[in-house]
Amino acid sequence: FGPYEEAYGCLSMWNTKYPFWLSDVRFKSVGHYVNYEKAKFGGDEDAMGEILKAKSPRAAGGSGRHILGWNEDKEKEWMESLANVLVNGCTAQYEAHSDIREELIKSEDHTLIYSSMSTLWGTGPKSDKGYYVGMDYIGNAWMMVRDNQQL
């Protein structure tokens, strides 16, 4: 990836141009917030601190992938709460930045997608039948924020 400020739009969880506060903690990006919450969920205070200090979402993600005591059961529980965590972070970022609010208003009721090969965060690759196979957590989170704000 290039510089996150240029490579990703304001609705990307990887963009550090739009920091925000949530529960008295400052997050550089939604990516930082999600990884912080993952470390908190896992009870790893050292990882929480590393994530807050991380200069980029990529570095924060590295810390989020190395949480002490993380196992299959924790992963399953975490995945059940991930969508809500992501919506909370996106909502806080939305509330903190007028240009993000403007982008969501302009989107009206259009489907928002995060075009990415990631089958979790984005649309994933197209199937043989021509449809995307990803869960698109990011696109869905922003649509939930938009719907919750009743723009």
Side-chain angles (χ1 to χ4, degrees):
F1 301 120
Y4 288 96
E5 294 81 7
E6 296 171 18
Y8 302 99
C10 69
L11 300 183
S12 170
M13 67 184 274
W14 314 119
N15 194 324
T16 57
K17 236 173 116 172
Y18 302 95
F20 60 93
W21 290 84
L22 195 57
S23 301
D24 297 323
V25 179
R26 184 181 183 275
F27 296 98
K28 294 174 185 150
S29 70
V30 174
H32 282 80
Y33 170 71
V34 169
N35 282 289
Y36 177 88
E37 287 297 310
K38 183 178 179 183
K40 184 176 169 183
F41 181 81
D44 189 340
E45 292 184 18
D46 290 339
M48 291 165 62
E50 289 174 20
I51 289 163
L52 290 177
K53 290 181 211 168
K55 293 186 189 270
S56 72
R58 180 179 287 201
S63 296
R65 283 187 288 281
H66 301 288
I67 296 169
L68 293 176
W70 199 258
N71 59 38
E72 217 173 281
D73 291 337
K74 281 274 189 207
E75 181 71 16
K76 184 179 179 196
E77 289 178 51
W78 169 248
M79 290 306 295
E80 291 172 3
S81 63
L82 177 57
N84 288 333
V85 168
L86 185 55
V87 169
N88 288 344
C90 290
T91 299
Q93 195 177 49
Y94 164 90
E95 291 171 349
H97 298 283
S98 62
D99 39 350
I100 291 176
R101 291 191 297 274
E102 289 171 18
E103 282 298 315
L104 280 182
I105 290 168
K106 286 193 300 189
S107 73
E108 298 175 338
D109 64 347
H110 295 282
T111 299
L112 301 175
I113 65 166
Y114 181 66
S115 181
S116 162
M117 293 305 284
S118 168
T119 57
L120 175 67
W121 303 115
T123 57
K126 279 190 177 180
S127 72
D128 294 340
K129 296 181 180 176
Y131 58 87
Y132 291 103
V133 298
M135 293 184 280
D136 196 10
Y137 271 41
I138 297 172
N140 285 309
W142 281 113
M143 288 188 294
M144 290 177 76
V145 171
R146 181 183 62 198
D147 294 347
N148 290 342
Q149 302 302 321
Q150 300 176 354
L151 303 176

